Amino acid sequence: MNIEELRTSLLNTNKNGYTRITAEQKAEMNTYCKGYMAFMDAAKTEREATTWAVQAAEARGFVALKPGMDVKPGDKVYLNNRDKSIILAVVGKQPLSAGANICAAHVDSPRMDIKPNPLYETDEIAYLKTHYYGGIKKYQWVTIPLALHGVFCRKDGTVVTVNIGEDENDPVLYVTDLLPHLAADQMQKTGGQIISGEMLNIVMGTEPLEGEGSDLVKLHIMKLLNEKYGVIEQDFLSAELCIVPAGKCREIGLDRSLIGAYGHDDRVCAYAEMEALFNIDVPEKTAVCVLADKEEIGSVGISGMQSEVFEYFMGMLCDAQGVNMYHCFQNSFCLSADVSNAHDPSFAETEDRRNNSQLNYGVAICKYTGSRGKGGASDASAEAMGHVRKTLDDAGVIWQIATLGKVDQGGGGTVAAYMANRNIVTVDAGVPVIAMHAPIEVVSKLDCYETYLACKAIYLA
Ligand code: MN
Ligand code: MN
């Protein structure tokens, strides 16, 4: 063999995905991404994503799974977990003792939550106090248009949905920053201290009601909220209100190859695995799609991936077939579908270029996450990685490898460890993202589409 032949036969080469897709695939990619962008405009919180998923599932013939229900191959079922997370399944030809093919993503994203006693007035400006949720660079969340999403649960138990700042006729909300002219002291601070958590206060208004006494601006805001939503100040105590960037997602770049949106992490994978589930024939093994909440704060709580609601759902399916759920888990596989950091030439010093994912190179497979000496990582086995590699190659999916930054630079985690703890073989994979956890994150259309194809291939494996 000459050197060129040796090179091609022995060395690992990877090419930009655009050199590997056909015109037909590119058209499919664009159609898929239009659907994804519509989903993103409708679903900025876990609640909104769950609502969207329930409606989309029911429109495709999925029914709510109930204890004691009969399930047969081809049945489509779902469990709405208290409007905050959802699990869906298409029952396979083989019994659940053969295991399930699972894709698990999360639908919560970093943001600012409203505190339980948030509304106050100071110096004749009314504000809402916030508590940030997930890992954010606080200085990124000032001086941008913001929207309020969530629910009030009133004293009589009725729940009212709140959405302010998305309709083009709505006002938007705002957090202030200091003018550079007076920022001599501020600019000496470290990035984490430039804007502190207690500075993330939402400007709600400045016009006082006519009358005597204090807090007339605050009273005005409360009056407006009461007129629109029928709530009083105490209703903030039983509310879940989130501050997210206002506005729709947009194509980025003159070639429109990128999508900028709030919360690609991880709704870009959530949408991929949901659409994949909606577009498969009856699979060999039962295909399960998990859209979890609370990943950004440790997958905890009743709606997080550590919740036994997963066992509740899988237990119902297994009971219906007289299968021991532990046997099902033993033979199951899970793709933990979550985003990775895309190579950014402006910050290349934070990455190991040889092991970092890159825009337009397809779905990024990640053997381990964690920090320092792989702390907190699930760390998939060689065999598990081999299974994914073969499955994606056989299906013609464009994929690449990913690790999260240079060793000792930082780190992160996903739901992978919590699925693996259940005795389910688990591998991380997802869409590479630029500026993860920023108010507007960026992904490539090609990677979104290949992640959808990857989820499909996993369900059908
Ligand atoms: Mn994530
Ligand atoms: Mn995240």
Side-chain angles (χ1 to χ4, degrees):
M1 274 195 197
N2 66 27
I3 286 291
E4 268 322 299
E5 285 168 345
L6 270 179
R7 206 189 297 278
T8 16
S9 62
L10 294 183
L11 296 187
N12 183 16
T13 52
N14 211 355
K15 289 206 180 84
N16 189 304
Y18 276 101
T19 67
R20 300 165 58 188
I21 57 167
T22 63
E24 198 176 33
Q25 288 170 319
K26 205 169 143 185
E28 275 172 28
M29 170 190 94
N30 281 316
T31 306
Y32 171 82
C33 287
K34 277 206 179 73
Y36 171 56
M37 290 173 76
F39 165 73
M40 290 301 272
D41 289 341
K44 289 193 175 183
T45 64
E46 64 278 2
R47 272 182 192 273
E48 291 167 355
T50 301
T51 301
W52 195 97
V54 168
Q55 285 171 2
E58 287 184 346
R60 289 161 178 82
F62 283 72
V63 296
L65 182 63
K66 298 269 161 53
M69 229 164 91
D70 244 13
V71 296
K72 52 184 189 310
D75 280 358
K76 301 170 180 177
V77 293
Y78 74 89
L79 177 73
N80 174 356
N81 180 16
R82 302 164 175 92
D83 296 331
K84 302 261 294 176
S85 68
I86 182 169
I87 311 173
L88 309 102
V90 177
V91 179
K93 293 173 194 160
Q94 294 183 32
L96 277 150
S97 49
N101 282 320
I102 305 159
C103 290
H106 65 96
V107 284
D108 61 317
S109 299
R111 62 179 184 237
M112 295 178 280
D113 284 341
I114 300 299
K115 288 191 183 189
N117 187 21
L119 185 60
Y120 69 103
E121 175 180 334
T122 190
D123 302 330
E124 294 166 83
I125 304 173
Y127 294 95
L128 287 180
K129 291 214 70 70
T130 69
H131 196 142
Y132 66 92
Y133 171 94
I136 62 168
K137 289 172 156 178
K138 294 183 279 286
Y139 66 80
Q140 292 180 328
W141 292 71
V142 298
T143 72
I144 58 170
L146 298 166
L148 183 66
H149 290 231
V151 295
F152 282 105
C153 182
R154 290 176 292 214
K155 198 174 178 178
D156 64 2
T158 55
V159 173
V160 56
T161 301
V162 175
N163 188 304
I164 301 172
E166 300 296 352
D167 187 289
E168 60 178 21
N169 297 310
D170 273 359
V172 293
L173 305 174
Y174 189 80
V175 179
T176 62
D177 193 3
L178 181 63
L179 61 167
H181 316 63
L182 300 180
D185 291 343
Q186 185 194 36
M187 296 310 282
Q188 300 307 312
K189 294 181 178 174
T190 61
Q193 295 164 329
I194 285 175
I195 298 292
S196 70
E198 292 292 349
M199 284 178 189
L200 294 175
N201 301 313
I202 310 298
V203 175
M204 294 298 280
T206 61
E207 184 189 339
L209 286 180
E210 263 182 63
E212 294 301 312
S214 61
D215 282 355
L216 290 168
V217 178
K218 169 179 168 176
L219 192 58
H220 189 187
I221 297 303
M222 203 56 243
K223 184 167 174 281
L224 291 170
L225 286 171
N226 179 266
E227 285 164 5
K228 188 160 187 193
Y229 297 114
V231 292
I232 59 174
E233 189 179 11
Q234 226 184 24
D235 290 324
F236 277 109
L237 291 173
S238 49
E240 259 182 332
L241 298 167
C242 312
I243 295 287
V244 297
K248 295 180 185 306
C249 59
R250 301 291 294 268
E251 292 172 316
I252 292 185
L254 299 190
D255 58 6
R256 301 173 185 267
S257 59
L258 305 174
I259 304 171
Y262 163 66
H264 284 310
D265 177 12
D266 183 32
R267 287 191 283 279
V268 68
C269 298
Y271 183 78
E273 54 173 59
M274 191 165 40
E275 274 300 301
L277 191 77
F278 292 157
N279 287 289
I280 51 170
D281 292 331
V282 182
E284 275 302 310
K285 296 182 182 180
T286 296
V288 179
C289 166
V290 185
L291 307 186
D293 180 25
K294 296 284 179 280
E295 192 277 341
E296 296 295 355
I297 59 168
S299 297
V300 288
I302 198 162
S303 52
M305 198 66 253
Q306 298 193 64
S307 165
E308 290 210 16
V309 74
F310 183 70
E311 279 72 13
Y312 179 62
F313 180 81
M314 294 302 292
M316 276 194 278
L317 285 181
C318 287
D319 285 350
Q321 296 188 354
V323 167
N324 181 319
M325 187 178 68
Y326 286 109
H327 294 160
C328 172
F329 285 4
Q330 163 76 22
N331 294 322
S332 291
F333 175 81
C334 177
L335 192 80
S336 163
D338 206 342
V339 298
S340 64
N341 69 309
H343 165 61
D344 183 340
S346 297
F347 301 99
E349 73 281 2
T350 63
E351 308 158 6
D352 169 10
R353 191 78 181 83
R354 290 184 179 83
N355 286 282
N356 209 93
S357 64
Q358 176 161 356
L359 293 175
N360 294 329
Y361 277 67
V363 59
I365 304 168
C366 191
K367 184 176 187 297
Y368 52 86
T369 58
S371 47
R372 301 174 305 279
K374 298 190 178 181
S378 164
D379 206 353
S381 70
E383 293 85 347
M385 293 295 283
H387 168 66
V388 172
R389 181 181 159 199
K390 181 174 189 319
T391 303
L392 300 194
D393 275 347
D394 288 352
V397 177
I398 298 172
W399 61 270
Q400 57 182 322
I401 209 73
T403 60
L404 190 66
K406 265 187 183 160
V407 178
D408 286 337
Q409 185 70 37
T414 65
V415 302
Y418 309 111
M419 297 308 279
N421 286 349
R422 292 178 157 105
N423 189 33
I424 297 172
V425 172
T426 303
V427 174
D428 272 300
V431 177
V433 174
I434 295 276
M436 198 191 296
H437 288 200
I440 302 296
E441 305 170 317
V442 178
V443 296
S444 104
K445 288 182 178 176
L446 186 138
D447 300 333
C448 293
Y449 183 62
E450 294 301 326
T451 300
Y452 159 74
L453 295 180
C455 292
K456 233 175 163 175
I458 293 296
Y459 287 141
L460 296 175

